[in-house]
Amino acid sequence: GAGNFNGDLSLLGTPLNDIVVGAPDINKVFVVPGNSVWKDSAQVTIDLTDESHLSAWNVLSVEADSGTIGEGELFGFSAIGAGNVILDNDGEGQQYDDIAISKTMEDSAVYVVKGRSLDGGTTVTISNALTGEGTGDAETVRLQTSGPGPLAWFGYELGGGSDLDGDGIDDILVSHQDLLNETDTQMYVFFGSAIVESIGTSLSLGDTQNLGGGVHVSANGIRFDVDRRAVSFSANFDNAPSATTDSVE
């Protein structure tokens, strides 16, 4: 799911969560807004290859800028709802959940795209290094690897919608796989606070302090050197409180 990317509400005033669909073969991601009419319909068909369907169902297309991201770079390999990382108006009033999209080939990266209200059939483009060629560059953050491993397959798996460091801002989890050595994986946690400060630019962990045991920390996040593939947030497994909320996830 994409969370409530476009900020729509139901007739009862509750958020309508959306669906995010990656299409890496065409370097594109679709955000399909939730719709209260679905519960009264026996079947709903939305053809994501039909422009009239995209317009009728208010679907957002997020696509790679073809001038800076080539075919086969797998933009959209992973695509998730990231939670409300990039707040609007310091968290006051209408808020929009964000999405995270990985591009796993060449100089692989993860793009955190800010949520927004949508018009039917809208297309937002993202350039490789957020250098202004994409229409959505100014409201996107590019996460990139800074550790060992190949340039490809950073963003193989993603996790979002959880506050790991307890500061009240959702963080983003990114795995970096070495497919030639399937047990050699780096797991990155990018702090939401660092993402918020990097709108329109790229963000890496930068210089890290090695705490031992494969744990490396910086002001921007944490890197874990692990020997497993599957990684995800586990909610508040240990029921630990934080300084700003009732729990740390």
Side-chain angles (χ1 to χ4, degrees):
N4 188 21
F5 182 85
N6 69 341
D8 281 355
L9 301 178
S10 71
L11 294 176
L12 299 177
T14 56
L16 287 170
N17 286 339
D18 309 319
I19 301 168
V20 60
V21 181
D25 56 322
I26 57 173
N27 280 341
K28 187 176 289 189
V29 168
F30 300 94
V31 179
V32 182
N35 197 314
S36 57
V37 304
W38 289 352
K39 64 181 177 62
D40 299 320
S41 302
Q43 178 176 318
V44 173
T45 300
I46 303 176
D47 184 351
L48 298 178
T49 65
D50 188 326
E51 292 292 338
S52 66
H53 280 227
L54 300 183
S55 180
W57 292 101
N58 214 28
V59 176
L60 170 71
S61 300
V62 183
E63 63 182 50
D65 167 63
S66 60
T68 58
I69 298 176
E71 294 182 8
E73 294 194 37
L74 302 184
F75 179 90
F77 183 86
S78 293
I80 64 162
N84 189 18
V85 181
I86 306 170
L87 300 179
D88 291 88
N89 300 316
D90 296 323
E92 299 294 330
Q94 176 70 65
Q95 298 297 305
Y96 303 90
D97 289 336
D98 312 314
I99 58 174
I101 302 168
S102 69
K103 176 182 75 75
T104 52
M105 297 304 292
E106 301 298 333
D107 54 339
S108 52
V110 173
Y111 300 88
V112 183
V113 181
K114 186 179 181 300
R116 66 202 69 190
S117 59
L118 305 177
D119 295 322
T122 299
T123 297
V124 172
T125 58
I126 305 295
S127 71
N128 183 41
L130 304 184
T131 46
E133 294 90 343
T135 61
D137 286 0
E139 293 188 304
T140 299
V141 179
R142 182 183 192 267
L143 308 180
Q144 59 189 35
T145 180
S146 57
L151 290 178
W153 300 113
F154 177 76
Y156 189 88
E157 294 178 298
L158 302 174
S162 292
D163 177 16
L164 185 70
D165 58 353
D167 65 355
I169 306 174
D170 288 337
D171 308 310
I172 294 181
L173 177 71
V174 181
S175 75
H176 188 187
Q177 308 285 354
D178 184 345
L179 297 188
L180 298 179
N181 181 3
E182 294 188 355
T183 61
D184 185 10
T185 299
Q186 290 81 46
M187 182 180 71
Y188 290 77
V189 175
F190 288 88
F191 294 146
S193 55
I195 295 172
V196 168
E197 296 297 323
S198 303
I199 300 298
T201 64
S202 296
L203 174 68
S204 69
L205 293 193
D207 294 333
T208 61
Q209 178 183 1
N210 187 347
L211 300 185
V215 180
H216 308 261
V217 301
S218 78
N220 296 335
I222 310 170
R223 189 186 88 233
F224 301 92
D225 298 332
V226 296
D227 61 355
R228 294 291 184 270
R229 263 195 167 195
V231 293
S232 67
F233 286 122
S234 63
N236 187 23
F237 182 82
D238 62 353
N239 200 35
S242 77
T244 60
T245 63
D246 292 333
S247 64
V248 178
E249 298 177 332

